Amino acid sequence: MLDTSIILANLKTIRENINSAAIKSGRDESAVRLMAVTKTKPAETVKCLLSAGIRCFGENYPDETVEKISAFREVPDARLAMIGHLQSRKAKIVADHFDEFQSLDRLEIAEKMESLCAERNRIMPVMIECNVGDEASKSGWHFADDFIPDQFLADFEKIRKLPHLDIMGLMILPPYAEDGEINRKYFIRTRNIAAYLNQHCGAHITELSMGTSSDYTVAIEEGATIIRIGTALVGPRDYKNKA
Ligand SMILES: *Cc1c(COP(=O)(O)O)cnc(C)c1O
């Protein structure tokens, strides 16, 4: 059963935390967008979040998203972002139904998305997924330390030239840490990668999508412009519902 009052109470707490993290770091809270992560959650949860004023949504599994797509489309200015690892054979669903693609994690999927968007005559806003924790289990370009690998720069240049992709920012999913403070170094590293690309490669990266339920206040202190919150907003996920 969906308990609307719990979601509203969670939202209030999260907004208060966003506000204090912004104040603490001298940032304007309006510079931080809250994305609701609704993977495994039913359409009713999406509708509840829409009536609470949320306009930014993240989903991980294209087939599941399509099943509840009409919920996202009830409000014209709601934005739907793909944030999970995208298999090539599912890329068409993202090109057809999503407003942005945050989990661009390899050159091959960038080229695939480019050709799908060219066919559809649309531009896809994308974020480059950086594996700043250098974790074998996760996708994205690996960063073992503060050094920026040549292979990443080479791929970045190729992606920049793809006319139907528009690189908005960097996206990271650092290791899970109960104490978000432990991930501060990864948020700083991401900010530094963006600064490097802007200063030395002529890029225009304005978005840092970083911070989840366990570490979003630290991410905001280090410059996150989009935080992606699932559990703290809509409760734990039940993967038994997933095919
Ligand atoms: C599931 C997911 C989230 C949300 O994580 P919570 O810990 O539930 O807030 C954020 N980002 C990505 C990429 C995810 O897959």
Side-chain angles (χ1 to χ4, degrees):
M1 258 312 285
L2 179 69
D3 193 333
T4 304
S5 63
I6 293 180
I7 292 183
L8 291 177
N10 289 343
L11 184 57
K12 184 164 180 284
T13 307
I14 292 167
R15 292 222 190 276
E16 283 164 6
N17 291 341
I18 292 174
N19 184 253
S20 22
I23 290 172
K24 190 173 164 192
S25 50
R27 300 184 61 206
D28 188 338
E29 77 172 307
S30 67
V32 183
R33 259 192 300 155
L34 169 62
M35 170 186 286
V37 177
T38 47
K39 59 173 178 256
T40 79
K41 299 292 178 185
E44 295 76 68
T45 303
V46 174
K47 292 179 190 180
C48 169
L49 292 163
L50 280 168
S51 31
I54 300 276
R55 290 294 177 270
C56 190
F57 294 86
E59 284 270 327
N60 295 55
Y61 312 107
D63 291 322
E64 180 205 333
T65 310
V66 164
E67 281 173 28
K68 56 190 181 189
I69 196 72
S70 59
F72 295 104
R73 297 306 171 209
E74 278 184 11
V75 174
D77 61 342
R79 271 185 83 77
L80 178 59
M82 173 64 180
I83 62 169
H85 175 68
L86 179 59
Q87 295 167 280
S88 252
R89 62 195 174 87
K90 304 284 181 188
K92 194 170 166 299
I93 304 179
V94 173
D96 283 334
H97 294 287
F98 284 69
D99 301 300
E100 62 185 69
F101 177 30
Q102 288 204 357
S103 43
L104 198 171
D105 57 10
R106 60 201 191 280
L107 183 58
E108 177 218 350
I109 199 73
E111 288 167 343
K112 175 89 187 175
M113 191 56 69
E114 165 62 27
S115 70
L116 290 168
C117 289
E119 281 166 25
R120 286 158 180 75
N121 195 24
R122 67 166 293 195
I123 305 280
M124 180 68 83
V126 300
M127 302 207 190
I128 305 292
E129 184 168 352
C130 297
N131 189 337
V132 285
D134 197 23
E135 293 173 275
S137 63
K138 284 184 189 155
S139 47
W141 281 266
H142 283 250
F143 293 81
D145 49 33
D146 291 325
F147 178 76
I148 302 192
D150 288 342
Q151 187 60 56
F152 169 75
L153 291 173
D155 289 347
F156 183 80
E157 281 307 318
K158 286 185 187 150
I159 296 167
R160 266 179 82 188
K161 294 200 179 87
L162 300 175
H164 296 84
L165 303 189
D166 183 11
I167 304 176
M168 319 285 293
L170 304 181
M171 185 267 212
I172 64 160
L173 185 62
Y176 174 77
E178 210 162 302
D179 176 6
E181 195 57 47
I182 292 170
N183 281 340
R184 187 180 294 276
K185 60 180 176 295
Y186 298 124
F187 301 132
I188 295 173
R189 180 172 294 165
T190 309
R191 191 181 67 215
N192 288 340
I193 297 168
Y196 182 92
L197 294 171
N198 288 343
Q199 282 161 25
H200 300 281
C201 309
H204 298 282
I205 288 171
T206 54
E207 304 283 352
L208 297 178
S209 176
M210 56 187 196
T212 62
S213 291
S214 55
D215 55 17
Y216 67 92
T217 55
V218 182
I220 291 168
E221 287 169 26
E222 299 304 340
T225 62
I226 299 175
I227 54 170
R228 306 181 310 267
I229 311 285
T231 314
L233 180 60
V234 291
R237 288 176 285 277
D238 185 354
Y239 283 97
K240 286 201 298 289
N241 293 337
K242 275 256 347 108

